[in-house]
Structures are given as C-alpha cells and as structure tokens.
C-alpha cells in the first residue's frame, strides 16, 4: 500500500484506509436529537427539501426585480439580495465616495422607494428573503418591514434573514462602519425588537463564508464562526435577553469547497459544537440548540481559466452541502470568476441544485454518510482541531479581543499564503490553472454594468428630497440620535424614519456622528 502522505487543506492527515478500529465508540445518535450531528430534523429532506436560493442583485432595483421574477419562474424557493458597496457601508448613491461603485457588486438601495421597486409584484409574506448586509442591516431590515406593512402583510408571518454579522467584517471582509462595541449594541437591538415583532425572522446569519473566501481552512472557518456566534450570544445575554427566545432565530452561513468529505465532516462537526456551546451558555429549548445554516458554493474556488469546469466544482460543492445537511443553498454561476452571472449561468446553477434534489438520490435518506469509518473519524478530527482554536480565542477573552489584537486576521492570512504557495509550487493541483491547461481560451460573454446607473439614482434622490416632508425627516433623525446616545431600542425610530422617506445615508450618518467610524 502507498505510504504517500495526504492532508486536507486544514492539515488533517488522511489515512489510506479507515476501519472499525477508527470508531471505538458505537454511534447511536439519531437525527433531530441533541447534539444534532446527523441533522436538525428527524426526516431531513424527506420532509422538506432545502430552500433553493439564487443570490442576485445588480445595477438598479428595476433590473434586480426582473431577475427575481425570472428566478421565481424557474423554481427558486427563496430570494437572496446582494447590495452594492455604497449601500453596504452607509452612503447614498449621490455621495462622493459612491462614485464608480453604484450598482456594481449588487443593487443600489437609497430609500424605501427603491425597496418598493425591488420587490414590485412580490408578496413579502409569501417569500423568504435573505439579505447579505451587515453594517447597515438595521436600515435594510427597516426598509423591508416598512414595505411589508405597505403591502398589508402580517409581520408575524414574514420570514427571511439578514446577515448582520459585523465581527467577520473586521476580520475578513471590511464593510464595517462603526467600532465593534456600538456595532454589537445595534445587533442586540435587532435581536430584541425581532423577538417581539418579527418572530419568524432570522436576526443574524453568522458567516463563515467570507472567512473562508478570505483564505481560511475548513477548520478555521467553523472555529472562528462559532467563536463569533458565542460573542453575539454573550452580548445578548448581557442585555438581559432570553437565550431560548433569541437563540431560535440565530442562523449560520457556510462555504462549500471541493474536498467533499472534509466539507461534510465540517458541517456535521459544526452542528455538534454549536449545540454543546449553546447548552453551556444556558439554552434548554432544542430549537435554540440547533445550528441551522445556509450554504453558498465557494466563490474563491471558481477559475477564470476554462470557466465551464466550474460547473463540475459547483456540483461537488452542492453535494457536500446536501450530504452535510444544509437548510438553504445558493449555487454559483460558472462565469462568476469573470463577472456577475449571466441569466444563462444562473439557470445552470439552479438546475445543478434541482438535479441533485430530484435525480441524484442524495436527499432520499437522512445523513447518508453517517457510519462511514472515514466520515465519522474526519468529523471527530475537524471538531477537535476547531475546539483547539476556539480555546485559544477564549484565552484572549473571546472574539472581540481576538479581532482587536489581529489574531484571527493573522491566522487567515497565514492559511491563504500557504494555500497560494501550494498552487504556485504545483503541490496543490487546480485543474486548468496549474495543470491540464489549454493554449487558447474560448471567450465567454460576460455581464456588464452600465456606469450611468448612478445618474438615475441621483435623479431619484433629488426628486425624493423635493417631495417629502423634510421637517418630519429631521425630527425622525433627531429621535434616532437621542436613542443612539441613550439605551432605548433603535429599531422603532429607524422604521419611523424610513417611512418618512429618510435615506439610508442620512440614517447611517446620524450614527457616524454618535459612534464615530472604525479605522
């Protein structure tokens, strides 16, 4: 037998053969039972398939609305909104710093009018919407709630998720505005308000996705994500919130990469670890102990070279997410290393999910890889390595101090460097990039965004400010400022402000004035 050493990207050595001797403890755990290694539902996909989402949002609200109607007609069961950079960092489209970025990596949203256009013809009570938004999540949620109210929706039936995970922004992604402590205050205000007013809404999607995209390993992805999750729970507990209430509305967002078995083991380990972590923090309700998660296939794994190869990568990643027990899934378009996905690429991505769902047999039984000597051993090894990292973070005082000291950022950077060095040396094979290359690539038509979008958004903002009651807007903004200085929940004041036609940038600026900006 070959004695060649093989390790995963997390550094876990893979043996040539796994046997019963690798599983000294008999596994008797059932799905839907603590600690949920085998899944959060007893019947998993036999009862209900995962939600098939396609992440979309570009240029104007009108353009994105057209894509949403197309995706709904093709069989998606949930919408997922991407916002442009100015929206993510709290600038209106007419701000000087927004120039060149309006509508580029997502849709431009400046006001309640834009949200009305974005969801025109879509009943918010009937669709689950996920919004990838963090620093300004409280404002976008307020727009969404105000739009649902305009539609006459029952807020107790509105479902969806805001990402709202600011800690990973400091560590991996960069779209923060305010310093960590006031940012945590805003997040716990959202937890508190939604517990009472929006009971079916997932108030946070604690994201490992962007940690992985920044270059972390699978082990680091779950260790840093769960450590961040613990910090949010501790902040909510310090505010006096009930862990058995807000704990049910916490959700997670993970990446799916190409190493099929390590990814499955990662998802299984993460569920088990979170259940034990929440139990240790005082949760007793089974729903508050469950780790529910959305998965997106790995953007950083897509190659600009031979882009059709990405269809195969996304298929493996889709299988990993399904075999690992995801609740919701977005599959990337094969052309996303080149541009935003074209309609054709988005359709192939959705069809990939549908083929796995209806043709592969993967969803037919719960946790089909359970009991595999290899998968069970790998689950244990991923978990042990992740706990070791979490213990290091805990010794620093938790995620916030670990981020402030640069520990998490440095660990991710080191892994990213080692991965890249492996590709450059040829030790890590990427098909079509450093092996099995071709001399000439066939051109792939890309998706292009028109720079004139900003002009249209500026015209809309000018008209909005001319027609609204500006004295009422000033009064609403002053209420937000007073609440930010004090301790009263911000959400009711922000909703009132957006209903009075205050813009995203105006609301974000009020809090910049109170909290300052994180540098």
């Amino acid at each position: 037998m070959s004695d060649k050493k093989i390790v995963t990207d997390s550094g876990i050595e893979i043996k040539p053969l796994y046997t019963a001797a690798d599983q000294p403890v008999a596994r008797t755990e059932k799905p839907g039972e603590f600690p949920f290694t085998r899944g959060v539902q007893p019947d998993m996909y036999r009862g209900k398939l995962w939600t098939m989402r396609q992440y979309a949002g570009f240029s104007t609200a009108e353009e994105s609305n057209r894509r949403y109607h197309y995706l709904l007609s093709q069989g998606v069961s949930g919408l997922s909104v991407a916002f442009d950079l100015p929206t993510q960092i709290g600038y209106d489209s007419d701000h000087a710093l927004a120039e060149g970025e309006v509508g580029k990596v997502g849709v431009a949203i400046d006001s309640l009018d834009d949200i009305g256009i974005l969801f025109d013809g879509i009943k918010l009570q009937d669709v689950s919407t996920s919004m990838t938004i963090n620093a300004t999540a409280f404002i976008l949620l307020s727009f969404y709630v105000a739009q649902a109210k305009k539609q006459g929706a029952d807020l107790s039936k509105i479902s969806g998720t805001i990402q709202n995970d600011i800690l990973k922004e400091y560590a991996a992604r960069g779209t923060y505005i305010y310093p960590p402590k006031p940012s945590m205050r805003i997040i716990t205000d959202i937890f508190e308000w939604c517990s009472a007013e929006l009971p079916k809404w997932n108030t946070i999607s604690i994201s490992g996705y962007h940690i992985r995209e920044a270059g972390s390993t699978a082990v680091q992805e779950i260790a840093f994500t769960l450590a961040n999750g613990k910090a949010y729970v501790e902040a909510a507990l310090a505010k006096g919130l009930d862990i058995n209430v807000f704990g049910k509305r916490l959700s997670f967002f993970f990446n799916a990469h190409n190493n099929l078995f390590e990814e499955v083991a990662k998802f299984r380990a993460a569920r088990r670890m979170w259940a034990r972590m929440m139990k240790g923090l005082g949760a007793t309700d089974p729903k508050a102990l469950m780790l529910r998660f959305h998965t997106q296939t790995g953007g950083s794994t897509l190659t600009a070279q031979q882009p059709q190869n990405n269809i195969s990568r996304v298929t493996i990643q889709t299988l990993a997410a399904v075999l690992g027990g995801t609740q919701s899934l977005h599959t990337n378009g094969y052309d996303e290393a080149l541009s935003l996905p074209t309609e054709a690429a988005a359709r192939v991505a959705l069809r990939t999910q549908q083929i796995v769902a209806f043709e592969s047999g993967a969803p037919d039984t719960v946790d089909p890889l359970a009991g595999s000597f290899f998968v069970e051993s790998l689950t244990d090894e991923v978990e042990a390595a992740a706990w070791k990292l979490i213990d290091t973070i805990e010794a620093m005082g938790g995620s916030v101090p670990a981020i402030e000291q640069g520990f998490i950022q440095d660990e991710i950077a080191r892994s990213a460097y080692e991965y890249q060095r492996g590709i450059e040396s040829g030790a890590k094979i990427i098909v079509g990039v450093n092996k099995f290359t071709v001399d000439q690539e066939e051109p792939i038509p890309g998706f292009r965004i028109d720079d004139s979008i900003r002009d249209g958004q500026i015209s809309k903002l000018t008209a909005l400010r001319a027609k609204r009651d500006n004295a009422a807007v000033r009064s609403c903004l002053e209420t937000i400022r007073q609440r930010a200085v004090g301790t009263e929940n911000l959400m009711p004041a922000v909703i009132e402000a957006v209903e009075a036609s205050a813009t995203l940038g105006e609301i974000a600026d009020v809090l910049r004035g109170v909290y300052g900006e994180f540098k």
Side-chain angles (χ1 to χ4, degrees), residues 95-386:
H95 194 283
L97 291 176
E99 191 170 351
E101 292 294 343
V102 176
K104 285 290 171 70
V105 297
V107 62
I109 298 294
D110 294 319
S111 70
L112 182 56
D113 286 359
D114 287 334
I115 283 283
I117 297 164
L118 185 68
F119 294 109
D120 186 39
I122 298 167
K123 286 187 74 175
L124 300 189
Q125 194 171 301
D126 298 343
V127 70
S128 163
T129 304
S130 172
M131 296 191 273
T132 305
I133 195 73
N134 297 282
T136 54
F138 67 107
I139 306 174
L140 269 301
L141 178 60
S142 298
F143 284 147
Y144 196 84
V145 167
Q147 180 62 20
K149 284 165 73 178
K150 278 175 85 170
Q151 290 184 355
D154 176 351
L155 292 187
S156 71
K157 292 182 178 155
I158 294 289
S159 68
T161 306
I162 36 171
Q163 192 161 97
N164 199 27
D165 174 8
I166 205 66
L167 291 178
K168 66 94 177 55
E169 295 297 325
Y170 302 115
R173 194 160 168 268
T175 68
Y176 46 75
I177 305 173
Y178 316 112
K181 286 190 174 66
S183 294
M184 294 292 273
R185 178 256 165 106
I186 294 168
I187 287 168
T188 54
D189 275 7
I190 293 169
F191 286 3
E192 181 179 54
W193 185 83
C194 288
S195 290
E197 305 294 335
L198 221 60
K200 286 181 77 176
W201 192 265
N202 295 326
T203 50
I204 193 166
S205 177
I206 305 157
S207 175
Y209 184 85
H210 302 96
I211 289 169
R212 192 69 176 279
E213 289 292 285
S216 83
T217 65
V219 164
Q220 288 172 331
E221 179 188 352
I222 60 168
F224 298 154
T225 305
L226 298 184
N228 287 349
K230 186 177 184 188
Y232 293 124
V233 171
E234 287 172 338
L237 290 171
K239 199 182 173 86
L241 304 183
D242 183 346
I243 193 168
N244 286 319
V245 177
F246 75 79
K248 294 178 193 174
R249 300 323 311 171
L250 305 178
S251 67
F252 288 80
F253 174 25
F254 290 123
N255 211 313
H257 272 223
N258 292 329
N259 188 322
L260 178 70
F261 297 107
E262 185 177 42
E263 294 300 296
V264 172
K266 175 189 80 178
F267 297 133
R268 297 173 91 249
R271 267 194 300 272
R272 189 154 79 199
M273 292 171 74
W274 183 247
R276 289 176 178 155
M277 203 180 257
M278 286 295 274
K279 196 172 190 179
L281 289 163
T284 52
D285 188 312
K287 287 208 162 114
L289 298 166
M290 290 176 186
L291 182 147
R292 296 168 302 113
F293 67 100
H294 169 69
T295 309
Q296 182 173 337
T297 57
S300 62
T301 68
L302 303 179
T303 63
Q305 300 90 333
Q306 301 177 34
Q308 284 98 337
N309 293 347
N310 294 328
I311 297 172
S312 301
R313 292 185 176 101
V314 168
T315 304
I316 292 167
Q317 294 162 11
T318 300
L319 262 176
V322 171
L323 294 171
T326 194
Q327 276 61 67
S328 164
L329 180 61
H330 162 83
T331 34
N332 289 334
Y334 64 83
D335 56 359
E336 286 190 57
L338 303 166
S339 68
L340 286 167
T342 56
E343 205 165 89
R347 184 172 61 244
V348 170
L350 176 60
R351 294 290 179 256
T352 302
Q353 293 201 50
Q354 291 164 335
I355 289 166
V356 169
F358 301 109
E359 297 184 29
S360 76
D364 293 352
T365 188
V366 183
D367 192 19
L369 295 182
S372 152
F373 302 139
F374 176 37
V375 171
E376 295 293 359
S377 297
L378 197 50
T379 302
D380 293 345
E381 289 199 68
V382 167
E383 179 180 8

Side-chain angles (χ1 to χ4, degrees), residues 453-475:
I453 289 161
R454 184 169 185 243
D455 299 336
Q457 286 298 113
I458 291 172
S459 297
K460 282 190 203 168
L461 280 164
T462 305
L464 177 76
R465 291 185 181 121
K467 74 178 183 187
R468 70 185 185 183
D469 181 340
N470 284 298
V473 170
R474 283 193 296 274
S475 170

Side-chain angles (χ1 to χ4, degrees), residues 40-60:
V40 293
Q41 300 295 341
D43 58 353
M44 284 304 289
Y45 306 130
R46 285 179 74 110
K48 180 177 180 277
L49 284 173
W50 62 92
T51 301
M52 296 183 197
R53 295 188 189 279
Q54 284 308 108
Y55 188 45
F58 49 88
S59 73
T60 61

